[in-house]
Amino acid sequence: VNSNQDQPDDGAVLRVAPPAQRSAGYDVIVRAGSLNAIGTVAAVVAPADRYAVLAPASVAALYGNAALGSLAEAGLGAELFTFADGEQQKTRQTWAELTDAMLERRLGRDSCIIALGGGVAGDIAGFVAATYMRGVPVLQVPTTLLAMLDAAVGGKTGIDTAAGKNLVGAFHPPAAVIMDPLVLRTLPVEELRSGVAEAIKHGAILDLAYFRWIEANADAILAADPAALQRLVARSVGLKARIVAEDPFEEGIRAILNFGHTVGHALERESGYSMRHGYAVAAGMAAEAGIGEAVGVTERGTAAQLATVLQRFGLPAAPGAGGAAASALLDGMRLDKKARRGLPRMTLLRAIGECAPDSTGSWTHEVPAETVVACLQGDARGTDAV
Amino acid sequence: VNSNQDQPDDGAVLRVAPPAQRSAGYDVIVRAGSLNAIGTVAAVVAPADRYAVLAPASVAALYGNAALGSLAEAGLGAELFTFADGEQQKTRQTWAELTDAMLERRLGRDSCIIALGGGVAGDIAGFVAATYMRGVPVLQVPTTLLAMLDAAVGGKTGIDTAAGKNLVGAFHPPAAVIMDPLVLRTLPVEELRSGVAEAIKHGAILDLAYFRWIEANADAILAADPAALQRLVARSVGLKARIVAEDPFEEGIRAILNFGHTVGHALERESGYSMRHGYAVAAGMAAEAGIGEAVGVTERGTAAQLATVLQRFGLPAAPGAGGAAASALLDGMRLDKKARRGLPRMTLLRAIGECAPDSTGSWTHEVPAETVVACLQGDARGTDAV
């Protein structure tokens, strides 16, 4: 040990050298019946002393036993922790209650969390994992189409506050993600539609062929055909995984995954979070396509193409906001995490299948408030009206 | 874009490739007068739209203007957010209030937090930064000796809950750390002693020469001699930085920094957190040295050497626990983050200046409960009594 006794007394600058990389990446398993493989996957990717399955009450009732049974079969000790259903539960309080319940059961830092449920479960259980004893591994097991396509991959976790959605949270990549398309058979059709909105987004920002495939297979998808859903999930996740791997902390290209979300989040907030996320994103994509056309970034006709597909799936194809609502929405956008210097920013398409960077190379654009308000007030499909 | 249309329908495993490294390391500046350099350092290491200075009321009164002035001089917009003094404020509530205050002031993801104050400020402001919009940069500006040597370097952030200290938190390395030894001139002597306990720990686990230097310079250190404190801080931070860089997420060697902390945290908890951290660590080191001798890992006489130095600084050199207290302490240790399978673990010295791994190579040892209780009940200095 060098005791450094010759160090000058007039000051020192000590360098804490780069920390080693924490994560070596993770697998996303998309396979019918994989719900029964939770235990074997957990044993391999996140060996732990004990496992905490965190699930909302409704999901616990449906799949809690399957999850616990799979863990027990693999010889792993597990306990179930439940919380009330609903987006309005995605609060600091639920997070604190789940954490305290785990502490009370004496789960140590050598524990692993299984996040079982929809987007709320993934976000909140992921945030518990991110902050429990400064971080324990989490296995994401999404049980809704929306959660499979949106929240479960990418490591974003968080809770809502009075000021907005997901304003408090952490990046905490999962140890693995297990998606079992068979659980989607029992999903209400509105939940299915809500998830398809994210798939349409993936096509719109990255893959014209996929966008067309979704439109061509609308009947099979809406009928929850297992083969169609397997393909939808695998293709969407494949597209998202590529972007997340390229930019894990959303410092650049990952922002394109927020297409439709600047307006969408504001719509959700204005609805008091009664509006389904996918519906809000659908309306948000329609609005942002219209805004993109209005500012000359997005090819003319793009908003109309998008609206056609959204309507095919029974999704909103316009924000439908009146005058007062439009300025309230704008205010919400100023608090969006993408906002910079207090000004809203959004991802804009060049055309279906491709995004456009702004003049500085950023994947979000600053858009004049007047344009936003005008597009929100008008019919986003009818960009001629702008 | 590859649209992957030939993908089989019977399942897929998609790999999310390793995320890029987030942090490129950070500098720790130890220099008299560096409090006035906050602005210029911030402008370089964490350029942001706005800066939030988070400080407890007492520190805000002493150094808030200096911090804001330095930021203003560098042309940076900044606001001060204060909270009540005391370890009992290191709660979810304070964290939530600070976060909400920042959200209300519309600070975006392009903000940076300045954590100004002692260990509580560093931990709580660091946790606000770790979770604000999924993470904003933090500049640590510790104003106590303990915070300089302990909390400010290494990226640990967190809050206390009813179940124990720092059980909720995150790893969030700072953008830089600024230590101005001149602020230590006004520190109460108990605070100085509390900090010295951590320096003694650094010597005990890593550097015999440094351990002896601390003992030889006790008078100058206790008199808050600027040159002695500058050297103490720089050497301790140098030692800690080396360990943190080697093991940023405490998966191995970093555990040695917890020497004295298994018993120490339990003592703090039993005192209702009225005991100063450094005093608890001092008593904890004495106890753990005694335990190490009792299980034959630590060289005989080590506990006595340690006790001599601790007493030289007016620090406790024994846990001083009665019978009932000893088993309550043991219970507390089971909840320690180092506990595995519900059993307490602790770092043990081989001798002053060196730690000993256990037989599996781990830097923490599982210790029989009887030995722990016997050592806590006895006088930790008198290892002959075990």
Coordinates of all heavy atoms in Angstrom, one line a residue, chain B residues 319-367:
Chain B
P319 N -18.5 -1.3 22.5 CA -19.9 -1.1 22.2 C -20.7 -0.8 23.5 O -21.8 -0.2 23.4 CB -20.4 -2.4 21.6 CG -19.4 -3.4 22.0 CD -18.1 -2.7 22.2
G320 N -20.2 -1.3 24.6 CA -20.9 -1.0 25.9 C -22.4 -1.5 25.9 O -23.3 -0.7 26.4
A321 N -22.6 -2.7 25.5 CA -24.0 -3.2 25.4 C -24.2 -4.2 26.5 O -23.4 -5.1 26.8 CB -24.3 -3.8 24.1
G322 N -25.4 -4.1 27.2 CA -25.8 -5.1 28.2 C -26.4 -6.3 27.5 O -26.4 -6.4 26.2
G323 N -26.9 -7.3 28.3 CA -27.3 -8.6 27.7 C -28.5 -8.4 26.7 O -28.5 -8.9 25.6
A324 N -29.6 -7.7 27.2 CA -30.7 -7.6 26.3 C -30.4 -6.8 25.1 O -30.7 -7.1 24.0 CB -31.8 -6.8 27.1
A325 N -29.6 -5.7 25.3 CA -29.1 -4.9 24.2 C -28.4 -5.7 23.2 O -28.5 -5.5 22.0 CB -28.3 -3.7 24.7
A326 N -27.5 -6.6 23.6 CA -26.7 -7.4 22.7 C -27.6 -8.2 21.7 O -27.3 -8.3 20.5 CB -25.8 -8.3 23.5
S327 N -28.7 -8.8 22.2 CA -29.5 -9.6 21.3 C -30.3 -8.7 20.4 O -30.6 -9.0 19.3 CB -30.3 -10.6 22.0 OG -31.5 -10.1 22.5
A328 N -30.7 -7.5 20.9 CA -31.4 -6.5 20.0 C -30.5 -6.1 18.9 O -30.9 -5.9 17.8 CB -31.9 -5.3 20.9
L329 N -29.2 -5.8 19.3 CA -28.2 -5.4 18.3 C -28.1 -6.5 17.2 O -28.0 -6.3 16.0 CB -26.9 -5.2 18.9 CG -26.7 -3.9 19.8 CD1 -25.4 -3.8 20.5 CD2 -26.9 -2.7 18.9
L330 N -28.0 -7.8 17.7 CA -27.9 -8.9 16.7 C -29.0 -8.9 15.8 O -28.9 -9.1 14.6 CB -27.8 -10.2 17.5 CG -27.5 -11.5 16.7 CD1 -26.1 -11.5 16.1 CD2 -27.8 -12.7 17.5
D331 N -30.2 -8.7 16.3 CA -31.4 -8.6 15.4 C -31.3 -7.5 14.4 O -31.6 -7.8 13.2 CB -32.7 -8.4 16.3 CG -33.9 -8.7 15.5 OD1 -34.0 -9.8 14.9 OD2 -34.8 -7.8 15.5
G332 N -30.8 -6.4 14.8 CA -30.6 -5.3 13.8 C -29.6 -5.7 12.7 O -29.8 -5.3 11.6
M333 N -28.6 -6.5 13.1 CA -27.5 -6.9 12.1 C -28.1 -7.8 11.1 O -27.6 -7.9 10.0 CB -26.4 -7.6 12.8 CG -25.6 -6.6 13.7 SD -24.3 -7.6 14.6 CE -24.3 -6.6 16.1
R334 N -29.1 -8.5 11.4 CA -29.7 -9.5 10.5 C -30.4 -8.7 9.3 O -30.6 -9.3 8.2 CB -30.8 -10.3 11.1 CG -30.3 -11.3 12.1 CD -31.4 -12.2 12.6 NE -31.1 -12.8 13.9 CZ -30.3 -13.9 14.0 NH1 -29.8 -14.5 12.9 NH2 -30.1 -14.4 15.2
L335 N -30.7 -7.4 9.5 CA -31.4 -6.6 8.5 C -30.3 -5.8 7.7 O -30.7 -5.1 6.8 CB -32.4 -5.8 9.1 CG -33.5 -5.3 8.2 CD1 -34.3 -6.5 7.7 CD2 -34.4 -4.3 8.9
D336 N -29.1 -5.9 8.2 CA -28.0 -5.1 7.5 C -28.0 -5.5 6.1 O -28.2 -6.7 5.7 CB -26.7 -5.4 8.2 CG -25.5 -4.6 7.8 OD1 -25.3 -3.5 8.3 OD2 -24.9 -5.0 6.8
K337 N -27.6 -4.6 5.2 CA -27.5 -4.9 3.8 C -26.5 -6.0 3.5 O -26.5 -6.7 2.4 CB -27.2 -3.7 2.9 CG -28.4 -2.8 2.8 CD -28.2 -1.7 1.8 CE -27.1 -0.7 2.2 NZ -27.3 -0.1 3.4
K338 N -25.5 -6.2 4.4 CA -24.5 -7.2 4.1 C -25.0 -8.6 4.5 O -24.3 -9.6 4.2 CB -23.2 -6.9 4.9 CG -22.4 -5.7 4.4 CD -21.2 -5.4 5.2 CE -21.5 -4.9 6.6 NZ -22.3 -3.7 6.7
A339 N -26.1 -8.7 5.3 CA -26.6 -10.0 5.7 C -26.9 -10.8 4.5 O -27.4 -10.3 3.5 CB -27.8 -9.8 6.6
R340 N -26.7 -12.1 4.7 CA -27.1 -13.1 3.6 C -27.8 -14.2 4.3 O -27.4 -14.7 5.3 CB -25.8 -13.6 2.9 CG -25.1 -12.5 2.1 CD -25.9 -12.0 0.9 NE -25.2 -10.9 0.1 CZ -25.3 -9.6 0.4 NH1 -26.1 -9.2 1.4 NH2 -24.6 -8.7 -0.2
R341 N -28.8 -14.7 3.6 CA -29.7 -15.8 4.2 C -30.1 -15.4 5.6 O -30.1 -16.3 6.5 CB -28.9 -17.1 4.1 CG -28.5 -17.5 2.7 CD -27.9 -18.9 2.6 NE -26.8 -19.1 3.5 CZ -25.6 -18.6 3.3 NH1 -25.3 -18.0 2.2 NH2 -24.6 -18.8 4.2
G342 N -30.3 -14.1 5.9 CA -30.7 -13.7 7.2 C -29.6 -13.7 8.3 O -29.9 -13.5 9.5
L343 N -28.4 -14.1 7.9 CA -27.3 -14.1 8.9 C -26.4 -12.9 8.8 O -26.1 -12.5 7.6 CB -26.5 -15.4 8.7 CG -27.3 -16.7 9.0 CD1 -26.5 -17.9 8.5 CD2 -27.6 -16.8 10.5
P344 N -26.0 -12.3 9.9 CA -25.2 -11.1 9.8 C -23.8 -11.4 9.2 O -23.3 -12.5 9.5 CB -25.1 -10.6 11.2 CG -25.5 -11.7 12.1 CD -26.3 -12.6 11.3
R345 N -23.2 -10.5 8.5 CA -21.8 -10.7 8.0 C -21.1 -9.4 8.3 O -21.6 -8.3 8.4 CB -21.8 -10.9 6.5 CG -22.6 -12.2 6.1 CD -22.4 -12.4 4.6 NE -21.0 -12.8 4.2 CZ -20.6 -14.0 4.2 NH1 -21.4 -15.0 4.4 NH2 -19.3 -14.2 3.8
M346 N -19.8 -9.5 8.5 CA -19.0 -8.3 8.8 C -17.6 -8.5 8.2 O -17.1 -9.6 7.9 CB -18.9 -8.1 10.3 CG -18.4 -9.2 11.1 SD -18.5 -8.8 12.9 CE -20.3 -8.8 13.1
T347 N -17.0 -7.3 7.9 CA -15.6 -7.2 7.5 C -14.7 -7.5 8.7 O -14.9 -6.9 9.7 CB -15.3 -5.8 6.9 OG1 -16.1 -5.7 5.7 CG2 -13.8 -5.7 6.5
L348 N -13.7 -8.3 8.5 CA -12.7 -8.5 9.6 C -11.3 -8.2 9.2 O -10.9 -8.4 8.0 CB -12.8 -10.0 10.0 CG -14.1 -10.5 10.6 CD1 -14.0 -12.0 11.0 CD2 -14.6 -9.7 11.8
L349 N -10.6 -7.6 10.1 CA -9.2 -7.3 9.8 C -8.3 -8.5 9.9 O -8.7 -9.4 10.7 CB -8.7 -6.2 10.9 CG -9.4 -4.9 11.0 CD1 -8.7 -4.0 12.0 CD2 -9.3 -4.2 9.6
R350 N -7.2 -8.5 9.2 CA -6.2 -9.5 9.5 C -5.3 -8.9 10.6 O -4.9 -9.6 11.6 CB -5.4 -9.9 8.3 CG -4.4 -11.0 8.5 CD -3.4 -11.3 7.3 NE -4.1 -11.4 6.0 CZ -4.8 -12.5 5.6 NH1 -5.0 -13.6 6.4 NH2 -5.3 -12.6 4.4
A351 N -5.0 -7.7 10.4 CA -4.2 -6.9 11.4 C -4.5 -5.4 11.0 O -5.1 -5.1 10.0 CB -2.7 -7.2 11.3
I352 N -3.9 -4.5 11.8 CA -4.1 -3.1 11.4 C -3.4 -2.8 10.0 O -2.3 -3.2 9.8 CB -3.4 -2.1 12.4 CG1 -4.0 -2.3 13.8 CG2 -3.4 -0.7 12.0 CD1 -5.5 -1.8 13.9
G353 N -4.2 -2.3 9.1 CA -3.7 -2.0 7.8 C -4.1 -3.0 6.7 O -3.8 -2.9 5.5
E354 N -4.8 -4.0 7.1 CA -5.1 -5.1 6.2 C -6.4 -5.9 6.6 O -6.6 -6.2 7.7 CB -3.9 -6.1 6.2 CG -3.9 -7.0 5.0 CD -2.7 -8.1 5.2 OE1 -1.8 -7.8 6.0 OE2 -2.8 -9.1 4.5
C355 N -7.2 -6.2 5.6 CA -8.4 -7.0 5.8 C -8.2 -8.4 5.5 O -7.3 -8.7 4.7 CB -9.6 -6.4 5.0 SG -10.2 -4.9 5.7
A356 N -9.0 -9.3 6.0 CA -8.9 -10.7 5.7 C -10.2 -11.2 4.9 O -11.3 -11.0 5.4 CB -8.7 -11.5 7.0
P357 N -10.0 -11.9 3.8 CA -11.2 -12.5 3.1 C -11.6 -13.8 3.9 O -10.7 -14.3 4.6 CB -10.7 -12.9 1.7 CG -9.2 -13.0 1.9 CD -8.8 -12.1 3.0
D358 N -12.8 -14.2 3.7 CA -13.2 -15.5 4.4 C -12.7 -16.7 3.5 O -12.0 -16.4 2.4 CB -14.7 -15.5 4.7 CG -15.5 -15.9 3.5 OD1 -15.0 -15.9 2.3 OD2 -16.7 -16.1 3.7
S359 N -13.1 -17.9 3.8 CA -12.5 -19.0 3.1 C -13.0 -19.1 1.7 O -12.4 -19.8 0.9 CB -12.9 -20.3 3.9 OG -14.3 -20.4 4.0
T360 N -14.1 -18.4 1.4 CA -14.6 -18.5 0.0 C -14.1 -17.3 -0.8 O -14.5 -17.1 -2.0 CB -16.2 -18.4 0.0 OG1 -16.6 -17.1 0.4 CG2 -16.8 -19.4 1.0
G361 N -13.3 -16.4 -0.2 CA -12.8 -15.3 -0.9 C -13.7 -14.0 -0.7 O -13.3 -13.0 -1.2
S362 N -14.8 -14.1 0.1 CA -15.6 -13.0 0.3 C -14.9 -12.0 1.3 O -14.2 -12.5 2.2 CB -17.0 -13.4 0.9 OG -17.7 -12.3 1.4
W363 N -15.2 -10.7 1.1 CA -14.6 -9.7 2.0 C -15.5 -9.5 3.3 O -15.2 -8.6 4.1 CB -14.3 -8.4 1.3 CG -13.1 -8.6 0.4 CD1 -13.2 -8.8 -1.0 CD2 -11.7 -8.7 0.7 NE1 -11.9 -9.0 -1.5 CE2 -11.0 -9.0 -0.5 CE3 -11.0 -8.6 1.9 CZ2 -9.6 -9.1 -0.5 CZ3 -9.6 -8.7 1.9 CH2 -9.0 -9.0 0.7
T364 N -16.6 -10.3 3.4 CA -17.3 -10.2 4.6 C -17.4 -11.7 5.2 O -17.4 -12.6 4.4 CB -18.8 -9.7 4.5 OG1 -19.5 -10.5 3.5 CG2 -18.8 -8.2 4.1
H365 N -17.4 -11.8 6.5 CA -17.4 -13.1 7.1 C -18.8 -13.3 7.8 O -19.3 -12.4 8.5 CB -16.3 -13.1 8.2 CG -15.0 -13.0 7.7 ND1 -14.0 -14.0 7.7 CD2 -14.3 -11.9 7.1 CE1 -12.9 -13.5 7.2 NE2 -13.0 -12.3 6.8
E366 N -19.2 -14.6 7.7 CA -20.4 -15.0 8.6 C -19.8 -15.3 9.9 O -18.8 -16.0 10.0 CB -21.0 -16.2 7.9 CG -22.4 -16.5 8.5 CD -23.0 -17.7 7.8 OE1 -23.2 -17.6 6.6 OE2 -23.3 -18.7 8.5
V367 N -20.4 -14.7 11.0 CA -19.8 -14.9 12.3 C -20.9 -15.6 13.2 O -22.1 -15.1 13.1 CB -19.4 -13.6 12.9 CG1 -18.9 -13.7 14.3 CG2 -18.3 -12.9 12.0

